[in-house]
Amino acid sequence: MSGPKSGYDLKKDFEEQISHFWTESLGQIYPALKKLEKENLVTQKVVRQEARPDRKVYTVTPSGQQLFRDWLEQPAAPIKWRNELLLKVFFGTEMSTDAVLNHIVQLESEQKGVRQLYQYCEDEIDRRPGSPERKLYWKLALASGRHINKARLAWCREAKAAIHDYIENQTE
Amino acid sequence: MSGPKSGYDLKKDFEEQISHFWTESLGQIYPALKKLEKENLVTQKVVRQEARPDRKVYTVTPSGQQLFRDWLEQPAAPIKWRNELLLKVFFGTEMSTDAVLNHIVQLESEQKGVRQLYQYCEDEIDRRPGSPERKLYWKLALASGRHINKARLAWCREAKAAIHDYIENQTE
DNA sequence: GTCGTCATGTAACGTGTTACATGATTTC
DNA sequence: GAAATCATGTAACACGTTACATGACGAC
């Protein structure tokens, strides 16, 4: 985000700012930067350091910025679903009800942790420097995660109740 | 799901039953079935048909079922996030507010369509034959989608309001 | 006549993760 | 003394999609 960055810097940015909705590994970033340089979308500058490996700092070129903006305005690709937990719940008939409940309880406690993380992140945004516009969009992206998180927790409650209901009607 | 199936059958099952949280292409399914057969987790049976290509029908072996059950009870892998729309919103500072709003409005109308689809699916489950247990888990998996859908729509409303708010405070 | 469905599969390509390799410095 | 951090990168592998190929049938 804004300003010259090395591949390593980018990875850290991804992790702390947008890991909630996007992940990228170094094995992708380094080759990508090389490719972008070949296409003149970024330029490289080697910054020598003492007692530390050289940093290769990249800056986006005007044509790179143009391409980025064009990409930004194009409609986003739909999300591809790959939710292993739901797949397992779907096949719940092949397990004991306890095993299914286990999955749900695990998701629930995981999501309770996520909820706290979001709270912390939102406070962080306020504390950090940045323009109101920057903060607005950062918060919006976070807010989406918060809504999804809430939805997951609501589902956990509902799912637990539905399974308990089923068990009771079964034993009657 | 239950009973011998061909690769083609599987693809259709994936599409109509679990496409909301899992996708799989034929280019994955056919090689996978071959591999599973080599490992004795499924057996193949060729069913000749007239005026139609032969069907290769696969049945899960006992050891395949055991492995499947073991897999089911193991904790699910966490979801990897790749939400292009949120990534674009996050970089909203590089676009006009209108362009950002466009993305949100598009998501909103898409999700309104999804909402109707979920309603239809839930009615379908009731209409179709199946054990109460089978229906329970199918509905639970669907319910998750419904919650997430609702969360997305709520976020759209919130996001639109936040951006409009920002615009108003800007022009003052 | 063209398109979609049934039914299989391969091959090319693109995407993404993980492990490995280097090597000094700092922290526990 | 071990592990994490800084910083780069490559290579092997695994995962996934798409296009292609075949060929008959039925619907429009």
Side-chain angles (χ1 to χ4, degrees):
Chain A
M1 266 274 49
S2 63
K5 298 259 160 157
S6 72
Y8 200 81
D9 292 341
L10 279 173
K11 173 65 180 158
K12 277 194 296 180
D13 280 4
F14 271 105
E15 266 169 18
E16 51 174 271
Q17 288 180 36
I18 53 187
S19 61
H20 312 296
F21 51 90
W22 202 270
T23 48
E24 214 61 76
S25 68
L26 281 171
Q28 295 266 114
I29 292 170
Y30 286 126
L33 283 172
K34 236 179 203 172
K35 200 185 149 219
L36 288 172
E37 203 198 347
K38 242 198 318 199
E39 292 165 12
N40 291 315
L41 300 168
V42 299
T43 53
Q44 197 204 63
K45 208 176 165 186
V46 178
V47 177
R48 236 149 268 252
Q49 291 188 125
E50 275 167 45
R52 228 152 255 276
D54 291 354
R55 281 164 57 79
K56 296 194 181 169
V57 174
Y58 294 88
T59 309
V60 184
T61 63
S63 65
Q65 268 181 29
Q66 192 51 56
L67 198 73
F68 178 60
R69 266 170 210 158
D70 289 348
W71 173 82
L72 274 181
E73 301 203 3
Q74 271 180 298
I79 310 158
K80 276 174 233 156
W81 283 115
R82 234 91 209 278
N83 189 328
E84 202 177 298
L85 189 124
L86 284 184
L87 192 63
K88 290 186 178 191
V89 169
F90 179 78
F91 288 111
T93 46
E94 311 292 315
M95 291 181 259
S96 65
T97 47
D98 268 0
V100 182
L101 281 168
N102 237 324
H103 280 304
I104 296 165
V105 169
Q106 228 174 309
L107 176 70
E108 197 173 32
S109 74
E110 180 204 296
Q111 292 295 314
K112 279 179 181 167
V114 170
R115 182 167 59 186
Q116 299 217 296
L117 195 73
Y118 280 138
Q119 188 55 58
Y120 170 79
C121 280
E122 241 167 297
D123 296 344
E124 257 311 285
I125 297 173
D126 284 327
R127 254 177 264 127
R128 288 205 194 185
S131 72
E133 207 189 0
R134 181 88 286 285
K135 288 186 178 189
L136 167 70
Y137 293 120
W138 196 347
K139 276 188 183 176
L140 280 185
L142 251 172
S144 167
R146 211 187 48 227
H147 275 107
I148 301 261
N149 173 248
K150 217 176 126 188
R152 291 233 164 86
L153 284 168
W155 177 77
C156 285
R157 273 193 302 278
E158 200 181 290
K160 283 196 296 183
I163 293 170
H164 284 305
D165 238 54
Y166 170 76
I167 295 169
E168 269 166 50
N169 290 335
Q170 220 44 16
T171 47
E172 260 166 34
Chain B
M1 267 276 42
S2 61
K5 298 258 161 160
S6 72
Y8 200 80
D9 293 340
L10 279 172
K11 174 64 180 157
K12 278 194 295 180
D13 281 4
F14 272 105
E15 265 168 19
E16 48 173 274
Q17 288 180 35
I18 53 188
S19 61
H20 313 297
F21 51 90
W22 202 269
T23 49
E24 214 63 74
S25 68
L26 282 171
Q28 294 266 115
I29 291 171
Y30 287 126
L33 283 171
K34 234 178 203 175
K35 203 186 147 218
L36 288 172
E37 203 199 345
K38 240 197 319 195
E39 291 166 11
N40 293 313
L41 300 167
V42 299
T43 53
Q44 199 204 62
K45 207 174 167 185
V46 177
V47 177
R48 237 151 268 249
Q49 293 188 121
E50 275 166 47
R52 228 151 254 278
D54 292 353
R55 281 165 56 79
K56 295 192 181 172
V57 174
Y58 294 87
T59 310
V60 184
T61 62
S63 65
Q65 268 183 28
Q66 192 51 56
L67 198 72
F68 178 60
R69 266 173 210 156
D70 289 348
W71 173 80
L72 273 181
E73 302 204 2
Q74 269 179 301
I79 311 157
K80 275 174 230 159
W81 283 114
R82 234 94 209 275
N83 190 328
E84 202 177 298
L85 189 124
L86 283 184
L87 192 63
K88 289 186 178 192
V89 169
F90 179 78
F91 288 112
T93 46
E94 310 293 315
M95 292 183 259
S96 65
T97 47
D98 268 0
V100 182
L101 281 169
N102 238 323
H103 281 304
I104 295 166
V105 169
Q106 228 174 307
L107 176 70
E108 198 174 29
S109 74
E110 180 204 297
Q111 292 295 313
K112 278 178 182 168
V114 171
R115 183 168 55 186
Q116 298 215 297
L117 194 73
Y118 281 137
Q119 188 56 59
Y120 170 79
C121 280
E122 241 167 295
D123 296 344
E124 258 309 286
I125 297 173
D126 284 327
R127 255 177 263 129
R128 289 205 192 184
S131 71
E133 205 189 0
R134 182 88 286 283
K135 288 186 179 192
L136 166 71
Y137 292 121
W138 196 346
K139 277 189 182 176
L140 280 185
L142 251 173
S144 167
R146 211 186 51 227
H147 274 106
I148 302 262
N149 174 249
K150 215 175 128 190
R152 291 232 164 86
L153 284 168
W155 177 78
C156 285
R157 275 194 300 279
E158 199 181 291
K160 284 197 294 184
I163 293 170
H164 283 305
D165 237 56
Y166 170 77
I167 295 168
E168 271 167 48
N169 290 335
Q170 220 45 13
T171 47
E172 260 165 32

